[in-house]
Amino acid sequence: MNTHRLGRALLAGLTGLLLAGSAQAAEVGKPAPDFTLAQKDGNSLSLTQLRGRVVYLDFWASWCAPCRQSFPFMNEMHAKYGKKGLRVVAINVDEQRSDAEQFLKQTPAQFTVLFDPAGKAPEQYKPDGMPTSYLIDEHGKVLMVHPSFKEADRAELERRIGEALAQGNPAP
Amino acid sequence: MKPLSLIGALLALSLLQACSLQPPKPWQKGMLARPEMTMGGDALEQRFDEHISASKQAASGGYGVGGGGCGCN
């Protein structure tokens, strides 16, 4: 009897261990995991600081070809909707900061860039590939997960951004 | 006795998990994306090979991870 109980407890513990390995990623309708990361000037920014604004969050790396195409789009969205409550935040996952700096020299960004060489934020969001973008509403809920970036995606992404801004009517 | 041996086996199995080689996560492929990590040395020759492969197999890609491993590009 005792061994049975012990066995059951151990089994439960083991299943717990196995399940712990597969923590959930950021999904549509779920709250976006928080992060605190350094900006280019050294000041840190966390997602909770951006409550009240619609956030277009993008994971990118210097070695990722489609990321290069997504930067002009994000610059455009920042220019067009920045004053209407959108905040474009791009998290760099390069291990070497110099790789990121070189990319930014060739592909300038007018929006917020955060640096995550340790990969803490992608560990929480678990993007399937680079780049992956997330649209987060003013309450911090994930509205959209968009893997990859192609020129053909522009219209659809802009429509989703516009929708999110109209829905919440966030403070400017 | 039986449940105990079962537990023992399960424990041993769970320890084995740590031995398995984990593939790099999509955001950890910076090193793999470097040009020196591609098969074959000559970029021009590789392009030629890819062209033949694409026209014969009606499929392309899988030669590097610069595309980000998301199936795009």
Side-chain angles (χ1 to χ4, degrees):
Chain A
M1 196 59 191
N2 249 344
T3 41
H4 272 266
R5 204 174 292 164
L6 181 74
R8 231 173 288 160
L10 266 173
L11 260 180
L14 277 175
T15 5
L17 265 180
L18 286 174
L19 285 176
S22 56
Q24 78 260 39
E27 280 170 52
V28 174
K30 296 247 174 75
D34 192 28
F35 52 78
T36 306
L37 295 169
Q39 302 183 58
K40 205 172 180 182
D41 57 13
N43 291 330
S44 62
L45 181 78
S46 68
L47 187 63
T48 43
Q49 278 173 263
L50 303 176
R51 270 310 121 75
R53 305 194 71 171
V54 171
V55 178
Y56 184 88
L57 180 70
D58 180 75
F59 286 99
W60 67 280
S62 66
W63 44 265
C64 148
C67 298
R68 215 168 277 278
Q69 295 179 339
S70 74
F71 267 53
F73 169 75
M74 290 194 284
N75 276 333
E76 205 181 300
M77 291 303 105
H78 171 75
K80 211 163 162 184
Y81 299 105
K83 286 205 177 76
K84 292 179 183 159
L86 180 74
R87 184 77 184 257
V88 180
V89 178
I91 298 181
N92 171 262
V93 298
D94 275 301
E95 281 162 33
Q96 301 282 337
R97 174 73 171 257
S98 53
D99 291 343
E101 302 283 1
Q102 204 181 350
F103 179 100
L104 288 171
K105 225 177 267 171
Q106 294 164 347
T107 320
Q110 268 97 54
F111 43 84
T112 309
V113 175
L114 300 177
F115 298 93
D116 191 4
K120 283 180 289 183
E123 203 64 65
Q124 287 177 291
Y125 281 78
K126 299 199 188 305
D128 285 331
M130 291 290 127
T132 297
S133 56
Y134 298 82
L135 197 60
I136 299 164
D137 75 3
E138 71 274 21
H139 305 298
K141 199 178 75 181
V142 179
L143 291 175
M144 175 199 84
V145 181
H146 182 80
S148 89
F149 180 85
K150 295 188 288 288
E151 287 297 316
D153 298 341
R154 276 170 168 265
E156 171 69 6
L157 288 171
E158 188 172 352
R159 191 182 65 77
R160 296 296 298 265
I161 290 170
E163 250 179 36
L165 287 168
Q167 227 173 50
N169 199 16
Chain B
M1 208 53 210
K2 259 196 175 161
L4 264 183
S5 53
L6 182 72
I7 291 159
L10 272 172
L11 261 176
L13 272 175
S14 72
L15 286 176
L16 269 177
Q17 260 193 323
C19 307
S20 65
L21 204 63
Q22 293 292 317
K25 305 269 168 63
W27 55 91
Q28 296 172 330
K29 294 185 178 173
M31 206 70 94
L32 286 171
R34 297 177 78 95
E36 55 266 40
M37 294 298 273
T38 50
M39 302 291 274
D42 190 31
L44 211 61
E45 193 181 297
Q46 194 186 351
R47 233 193 119 116
F48 189 59
D49 284 347
E50 279 172 28
H51 176 76
I52 292 171
S53 170
S55 60
K56 301 273 182 203
Q57 312 275 354
S60 69
Y63 304 104
V65 294
C70 56
C72 49
N73 206 29

